[in-house]
Amino acid sequence: MWLARVCTRHPRGVASYAQQWRRAHIVLGIETSCDDTACAVVTSDRKTLSEFISRQDHVHGVVRGITPFVAAELHRENIDKTVEGAMSQAGISFKDLTAIAVTRGPGLGLCLEVGIIKAKEIAREHNLPVIAVNHMEGHALIARYCDSSLTFPFMTVLISGGHTMILVCLNVGEYMQLGTTLDDSIGEAFDKVARELQLDWDGGGGKAVEKIAKEGIKGKFPLKEPMTTIKDCNFSFSGLKSQVKRGIDEILAKQGSLTHQNIADISFSFQEVAAKHLTTRLDRAIQWCNANLECAPDIKHIVMSGGVASNSAIREKVQALAQKYSLSLVCAPPKLCTDNGVMIAWAGIENMDVNKSVFSAEQAQDLLYEPKWPLDPSGRNYFPVPKAYMKSSKTDDRLKRDALACSQLAKKGEFDENVFAKGIRAAISLDRLEEAKEMASAGLALSPDNKVLVKLMYKVTSKIQTQNLFK
C-alpha cells in the first residue's frame, strides 16, 4: 500500500497518518493538457481553497487554434507562478497538502510534460505522493464535486475540444463506453466552423459560434444530420463541418462575401444540427441501458461534462431528453466545464479514496505522460451495432472470410498484396491481433519491401504494445 510508504514522513507513523487521512484530504491539482495552465487546491469535503488560471486565449486567438509548441512554451513560462498563486490564495504551505494530482493524459504531449515535471519537482522537495489523473475522468467526476448526492452508476456525455463520448460511469476508473466520435470531436467542429466564419476567437471558437447563433434564423441555412441510417451511439462531425464549408463557398460564389446575418444563420443551423446529432445518439444509449439492465446498470442521472457542456443551447436539448426519460441532468457550472485545476484535484481525491493511480514521491520520479491515455484501455464499445446498419465489408462474416483467405494464401507461400492487406485489416477489426501479426510477418517474408504491409505491421505491433501496457 502506498499509504504505508508515505506515512514515514508523519512523526507518529501509520496510525496517526491514517487518522489524518480519514479527516480530510487537501490536494493541489495541476492541469496542463492543452492551452490554459490551471492549478487549484481542493479539500475532500468539497471546498475550493483556491483556483488560479493562466490563460492563453490572447495568443492562440491570433491563429484561431492551438499550436502545441507555443502552448507548451507558455505553460513553461506560467507554471511556477500558477502553482505559487494557487498556494498563496489557499493560505497554506506544501507541508499542509496530502498529495498532488496532475493530468497525465490524454492531451498534447509537450503540454502534459510541463505539468508532470512540476508535480515531480514538488513531490521530490516535499515528499508528497502524486496522483496521476486521466483528463477525461476529471471532466466526468467533477459533477460529483458539485453534487454530493450523485452516486455511481451514472451516464456521462463528455463533449469537449478533444473528445465526444457517451460513457456509463460504474465507479472511479470503471467505465463502459457506448459511443465515441469516428472523426472530429464536437468541440473541434465548433472551432473549425468558427475559423471558416472568421469569428472573434476570444474565449474560443465554441463560444463565438454560440454567441452569434442567437441572432440566427431557423431554416435559412439547411444542414443534414449525420449518420441517420447508422443506428449506433457513435458520432461523426467531419461531414457536418464539410457541409458548412460547401454552403459558405456557395454563398461566396453568389455574393462575394458573407453578411452578418449569413454568419448568424450558418452558426444557428450548425449548432442546431450538432445538438440534434448529439441527443439522437444519447437517446439511443439511454434506451439501450433501459433495455439491458442485466449488463447495464439502472441509470438515474445524466452528467454533461467537458467544455462544450457550457453551451446553453445544447444543455437545453439534453435537459429535454433527460426529462423525457425522468432522469436528472447534472451539469457543472460553466467555469468548471472547461479545463481547470479543480476537476483534476477532485479526480485525484476520488482516485486516492480507492487507492488508484497513486505514486509515492520516489515512484513519481519515473512517471511519464500519456498523450493517448484511454479511460477504458480495452477500447471496447459496449453498444452493439446492428449488422443491418453496418457496411457489408465490416460484417463479422466478411471479416472472417477475408482473414481466412489471407491465412490460406500464407500457408501456400503465395503472395497477393490485396488479399494480405484485407486479411490483416480484418484480423485487426476482429481484435485477433496475434493472428494479424503472423499474417503480416508471412506477407513481409514473401515481399519484404511492400509498403502496405510494413504500415500494417507497424499498426498491429502498436496495438499489441498498447494492450500489453494496460494489462
Side-chain angles (χ1 to χ4, degrees):
M1 289 272 297
W2 76 270
L3 174 58
R5 290 195 293 273
V6 300
C7 69
T8 53
R9 65 188 179 92
H10 196 285
R12 299 182 190 174
V14 176
S16 182
Y17 195 87
Q19 289 172 5
Q20 173 189 330
W21 184 269
R22 283 192 292 271
R23 281 199 301 271
H25 313 319
I26 304 177
V27 173
L28 169 66
I30 301 174
E31 156 61 23
T32 63
S33 66
C34 190
D35 48 353
D36 295 338
T37 311
C39 293
V41 178
V42 174
T43 70
S44 55
D45 53 358
R46 293 179 169 81
K47 292 178 181 176
T48 300
L49 302 185
S50 68
E51 184 177 7
F52 200 99
I53 300 178
S54 297
R55 300 199 179 279
Q56 301 181 6
D57 294 343
H58 62 290
V59 176
H60 300 297
V62 176
V63 294
R64 293 186 172 90
I66 309 300
T67 306
F69 71 87
V70 173
E73 184 58 36
L74 290 171
H75 281 307
R76 282 188 281 272
E77 291 178 10
N78 294 330
I79 189 66
D80 288 342
K81 72 176 183 181
T82 307
V83 170
E84 290 166 7
M87 294 299 292
S88 176
Q89 277 185 13
I92 61 173
S93 64
F94 287 109
K95 66 181 177 61
D96 298 313
L97 293 175
T98 309
I100 308 153
V102 62
T103 305
R104 186 183 189 183
L108 301 174
L110 292 173
C111 299
L112 292 167
E113 184 179 35
V114 177
I116 292 284
I117 289 173
K118 186 62 180 178
K120 289 180 180 181
E121 176 190 314
I122 298 170
R124 184 172 58 249
E125 290 181 7
H126 302 280
N127 194 25
L128 287 166
V130 174
I131 309 150
V133 173
N134 185 296
H135 180 81
M136 293 185 288
E137 185 167 53
H139 279 304
L141 296 181
I142 190 62
R144 281 172 48 82
Y145 171 81
C146 300
D147 185 350
S148 60
S149 66
L150 178 62
T151 58
F152 296 107
F154 56 87
M155 182 176 288
T156 289
V157 53
L158 201 165
I159 44 178
S160 69
H163 310 281
T164 305
M165 308 174 74
I166 299 175
L167 303 163
V168 175
C169 302
L170 303 171
N171 208 329
V172 178
E174 297 177 25
Y175 301 91
M176 291 173 61
Q177 179 179 298
L178 301 184
T180 187
T181 183
L182 303 178
D183 39 62
D184 293 345
S185 70
I186 186 171
E188 187 179 2
F190 266 93
D191 287 347
K192 288 179 178 178
V193 168
R195 196 176 297 122
E196 288 289 340
L197 295 173
Q198 298 185 359
L199 297 177
D200 182 3
W201 201 265
D202 186 26
K207 289 182 179 179
V209 171
E210 180 185 7
K211 181 180 179 180
I212 197 167
K214 294 174 182 177
E215 302 174 40
I217 301 172
K218 187 173 184 178
K220 288 290 186 178
F221 189 82
L223 294 170
K224 294 180 180 178
E225 182 186 349
M227 298 176 68
T228 54
T229 61
I230 302 176
K231 309 299 181 180
D232 63 11
C233 298
N234 290 325
F235 304 91
S236 173
F237 292 96
S238 179
L240 180 57
K241 173 200 68 183
S242 298
Q243 285 186 67
V244 171
K245 188 177 188 312
R246 285 195 299 270
I248 291 173
D249 290 341
E250 289 174 8
I251 294 173
L252 291 175
K254 289 179 182 178
Q255 59 191 48
S257 62
L258 296 176
T259 66
H260 181 85
Q261 191 59 50
N262 287 149
I263 294 172
D265 293 341
I266 293 168
S267 298
F268 176 88
S269 185
F270 167 75
Q271 181 174 265
E272 187 82 358
V273 176
K276 180 71 166 62
H277 184 44
L278 185 74
T279 52
T280 297
R281 317 318 265 189
L282 184 57
D283 191 323
R284 188 170 292 125
I286 295 168
Q287 290 183 44
W288 183 80
C289 285
N290 289 342
N292 293 275
L293 293 177
E294 70 282 357
C295 58
D298 189 15
I299 301 298
K300 301 296 184 186
H301 298 85
I302 298 176
V303 169
M304 273 183 73
S305 57
V308 183
S310 61
N311 183 294
S312 58
I314 292 177
R315 281 198 186 205
E316 288 177 9
K317 300 284 187 185
V318 177
Q319 178 65 64
L321 181 63
Q323 290 176 349
K324 173 183 173 182
Y325 291 100
S326 300
L327 300 173
S328 297
L329 177 64
V330 181
C331 300
K335 73 170 188 175
L336 294 182
C337 288
T338 53
D339 296 350
N340 60 87
V342 175
M343 73 177 193
I344 300 306
W346 179 253
I349 289 169
E350 292 259 35
N351 275 275
M352 195 163 53
D353 283 342
V354 294
N355 196 29
K356 287 185 177 179
S357 298
V358 185
F359 301 84
S360 68
E362 182 180 354
Q363 292 172 326
Q365 302 312 306
D366 296 323
L367 189 63
L368 301 175
Y369 58 87
E370 294 283 351
K372 296 185 180 295
W373 189 16
L375 271 177
D376 179 1
S378 73
R380 175 186 174 188
N381 243 15
Y382 286 81
F383 186 95
V385 183
K387 288 188 178 181
Y389 295 99
M390 295 172 71
K391 295 179 181 178
S392 60
S393 63
K394 295 296 183 182
T395 61
D396 281 352
D397 290 343
R398 177 64 178 274
L399 292 172
K400 289 174 182 177
R401 285 198 300 272
D402 289 344
L404 179 61
C406 181
S407 296
Q408 291 174 341
L409 200 65
K411 288 178 181 177
K412 293 178 183 178
E414 299 175 2
F415 181 76
D416 182 306
E417 181 184 292
N418 186 48
V419 173
F420 268 89
K422 286 173 67 176
I424 294 166
R425 291 189 182 107
I428 292 172
S429 297
L430 293 166
D431 204 28
R432 288 153 43 176
L433 299 182
E434 291 298 336
E435 183 180 340
K437 185 177 180 182
E438 290 176 8
M439 292 178 186
S441 297
L444 287 170
L446 297 167
S447 180
D449 299 324
N450 189 282
K451 292 181 180 179
V452 173
L453 296 194
V454 168
K455 288 181 179 179
L456 287 171
M457 173 62 91
Y458 177 79
K459 182 177 181 179
V460 72
T461 302
S462 297
K463 284 182 173 290
I464 290 171
Q465 288 176 346
T466 301
Q467 275 194 355
N468 292 337
L469 180 66
F470 290 103
K471 282 183 178 179

